[in-house]
Amino acid sequence: MALVVQKYGGTSVGSIEKIMNVARRVGKTKDAGNDVIVVVSAMAGETDRLVGLVNSITDLPNEREYDQVVASGEQVSIGLLAIALESLGYRAKSFLGFQVPIYTDSAHARARIRQIETENVMRAINEGYIAVIAGFQGIDEFGDITTLGRGGSDTSAVAIAAAMKADVCEIYTDVDGVYTTDPNICPNARKLEKISYDEMLEMASLGAKVLQIRSVEFAKKYGVRIHVRSSMNEKEGTIVTGEDEIMETAVVSGVTYNKNEAKITIVKVPDRPGIAAKIFKPIADAGINVDMIVQNVSLEGFTDLTFTVPKTDYKKTMLLIEKVAQEIGAERVQGDDKIAKVSIVGVGMRSHPGVAAKMFRTLASENINILMISTSEIKVSCVIEEKYTELAVRVLHDAFELGGEPKEEV
Ligand code: ADP
Ligand code: ASP
Ligand code: MG
């Protein structure tokens, strides 16, 4: 008998029919003699709707109240799934974050899980219940409801699997597994049988939203094996596991894109020691993650400084930076939220020169202008205009021969 954690994303519980389908699937796992913990997201589109309600009042809501609103979608889906399971003759009990409890820090809208108590859920399991737990949410030390950032149910599931010492963590979604790139953009994307934690970490952090990045961090830290698969069929999906299990490493194993960042440029910054620290301190104090930073060569004592932040923090950052720019005597601040970051990822890149050059050449051949570049040992990222995202992903996927169909010999 195994302890199985199954997570169902929004599209998998998007209607009553789909919830009944999930209930049958969960029931089958229980019938096979397993203990089952199910982690559920809000019904498809619901969290977007709730965020929209908040933003129809203000772009800069009180974050405690934002969490209070957006966490509510999961309350409905866990209750409905528990009722669906009961209707099929199973015993099921739903848990909100605070009922587990799942303790987090107080960084509202981007909280981190600190500790998960196992007692309440394990008691229910031992009494024969299927436990249905709300993803995406937790509770902080003040008793306030927190959320883990968009896509956070993946992280809830992996953290619960680690805490409860589950044998496997299955992530059910609307695609069959992890692909070489988003299969909804690139029809010839190829499904990966296995992917290492490190590569998945890089893909997730660069925009492959099939898994939230923190879920992969947890999985790597606690050695949780993740199986990403479809809730609509029985096909084997993708196993996310340690590098030692993966025999072959491609030079480039995936292409990702991220449309959720915005770019801010401070024009004519006086080039003096301590200026960068002054600029980035208020941003860090506000808990905003800066991604790429580029500083131009100084000209006559002035330089331009460009960086990117999540789009959701764009307005807040602009307000902070306009103030700092005045204080340090910079000329002006420019913002652009119509950008995208496309990246190529691969552990094998470490030992292969020329990969970045090929990426730049490929983008240039389609007349796509590169606005910013950043590289690491296993990835190259370019910021481009948002309207070219899909084209860039497709031509890069082709250029690095990642497609499912073998290339025709000419
Ligand atoms: P869920 O609601 O189940 O959490 P998400 O929408 O968060 O589902 O994640 C699944 C989506 O991730 C897919 O529909 C696909 O468009 C997108 N995606 C992006 N990159 C990839 C990739 N490399 N492999 C698979 N899916 C990807
Ligand atoms: N419902 C949340 C969201 O839409 C969490 C999740 O789906 O993982 O972001
Ligand atoms: Mg998701």
Side-chain angles (χ1 to χ4, degrees):
M1 182 147 104
L3 175 59
V4 180
V5 171
Q6 297 187 335
K7 177 255 169 178
Y8 291 91
T11 41
S12 304
V13 294
S15 64
I16 294 299
E17 201 190 333
K18 286 185 173 165
I19 289 176
M20 289 308 300
N21 174 47
V22 167
R24 279 189 286 273
R25 209 167 174 134
V26 171
K28 234 199 231 169
T29 312
K30 176 80 179 157
D31 290 342
N34 301 296
D35 286 332
V36 193
I37 299 174
V38 194
V39 177
V40 192
S41 298
M43 293 170 79
E46 179 60 9
T47 310
D48 284 344
R49 189 184 74 85
L50 295 167
V51 171
L53 288 176
V54 171
N55 289 341
S56 66
I57 302 175
T58 170
D59 282 330
L60 295 171
N62 173 304
E63 290 189 324
R64 178 187 181 276
E65 304 311 328
Y66 169 91
D67 277 351
Q68 195 84 306
V69 175
V70 303
S72 66
E74 274 72 10
Q75 180 161 355
V76 173
S77 53
I78 55 167
L80 289 174
L81 180 58
I83 291 168
L85 283 163
E86 295 263 342
S87 79
L88 297 178
Y90 298 95
R91 296 173 79 200
K93 195 176 251 183
S94 68
F95 294 84
L96 286 165
F98 82 89
Q99 291 168 318
V100 174
I102 297 172
Y103 291 112
T104 72
D105 62 17
S106 298
H108 284 287
R110 56 178 82 80
R112 283 177 176 270
I113 295 175
R114 281 188 173 156
Q115 199 208 328
I116 297 179
E117 289 202 3
T118 56
E119 206 183 314
N120 292 342
V121 173
M122 287 320 283
R123 194 184 317 116
I125 294 281
N126 291 333
E127 287 168 2
Y129 286 98
I130 293 168
V132 184
I133 303 179
F136 185 49
Q137 57 173 267
I139 188 170
D140 72 1
E141 60 184 311
F142 309 108
D144 289 329
I145 290 172
T146 55
T147 64
L148 311 179
R150 296 307 304 271
S153 300
D154 299 327
T155 303
S156 309
V158 177
I160 287 167
M164 310 282 171
K165 301 194 168 42
D167 297 281
V168 60
C169 181
E170 297 177 330
I171 304 280
Y172 286 91
T173 184
D174 59 353
V175 286
D176 294 343
V178 180
Y179 281 71
T180 47
T181 192
D182 187 342
N184 288 322
I185 284 200
C186 201
N188 71 341
R190 181 170 47 85
K191 186 169 82 184
L192 302 166
E193 205 180 305
K194 282 187 181 170
I195 183 168
S196 69
Y197 292 126
D198 285 336
E199 259 172 343
M200 192 63 237
L201 214 50
E202 204 75 29
M203 292 217 1
S205 73
L206 294 170
K209 69 166 183 162
V210 62
L211 286 177
Q212 198 201 33
I213 174 163
R214 286 203 193 132
S215 69
V216 191
E217 283 170 2
F218 258 103
K220 183 178 174 187
K221 189 165 168 194
Y222 296 100
V224 178
R225 217 175 144 79
I226 303 180
H227 187 178
V228 181
R229 58 194 309 192
S230 167
S231 58
M232 317 295 164
N233 61 47
E234 301 287 333
K235 283 186 208 161
E236 287 290 305
T238 302
I239 303 288
V240 187
T241 181
E243 230 166 279
D244 48 336
E245 268 194 49
I246 293 163
M247 307 302 281
E248 264 182 83
T249 48
V251 177
V252 172
S253 48
V255 179
T256 60
Y257 66 94
N258 181 355
K259 294 182 181 179
N260 297 325
E261 287 186 25
K263 175 165 83 76
I264 295 172
T265 302
I266 316 177
V267 181
K268 279 194 108 176
V269 179
D271 195 8
R272 291 195 304 266
I275 288 284
K278 261 206 180 111
I279 291 171
F280 291 108
K281 183 167 186 309
I283 304 179
D285 289 347
I288 296 166
N289 267 326
V290 174
D291 179 22
M292 294 162 100
I293 303 176
V294 174
Q295 184 181 334
N296 280 349
V297 178
S298 162
L299 209 71
E300 293 166 2
F302 291 96
T303 179
D304 292 349
L305 199 119
T306 303
F307 59 93
T308 60
V309 292
K311 243 180 217 175
T312 44
D313 291 325
Y314 175 53
K315 291 212 170 129
K316 199 164 153 191
T317 313
M318 283 296 273
L319 287 176
L320 289 170
I321 287 301
E322 267 155 11
K323 213 164 122 219
V324 177
Q326 263 189 354
E327 281 165 20
I328 59 174
E331 192 183 275
R332 73 198 136 89
V333 180
Q334 275 173 355
D336 183 358
D337 64 352
K338 299 273 178 301
I339 58 155
K341 182 170 73 176
V342 289
S343 311
I344 53 174
V345 180
V347 172
M349 221 182 267
R350 283 186 190 127
S351 49
H352 277 75
V355 175
K358 183 168 177 180
M359 178 177 192
F360 305 151
R361 228 172 26 244
T362 307
L363 295 175
S365 69
E366 295 292 332
N367 267 326
I368 300 172
N369 195 22
I370 300 172
L371 309 174
M372 289 171 92
I373 297 170
S374 93
T375 63
S376 82
E377 255 198 329
I378 64 168
K379 71 114 201 280
V380 186
S381 299
C382 295
V383 171
I384 58 171
E385 280 180 69
E386 187 179 321
K387 63 181 178 193
Y388 295 124
T389 314
E390 285 76 12
L391 174 64
V393 167
R394 285 192 206 113
V395 294
L396 289 170
H397 193 263
D398 275 352
F400 289 98
E401 296 177 25
L402 295 172
E405 304 297 323
K407 286 226 145 187
E408 265 179 53
E409 297 289 332
V410 187

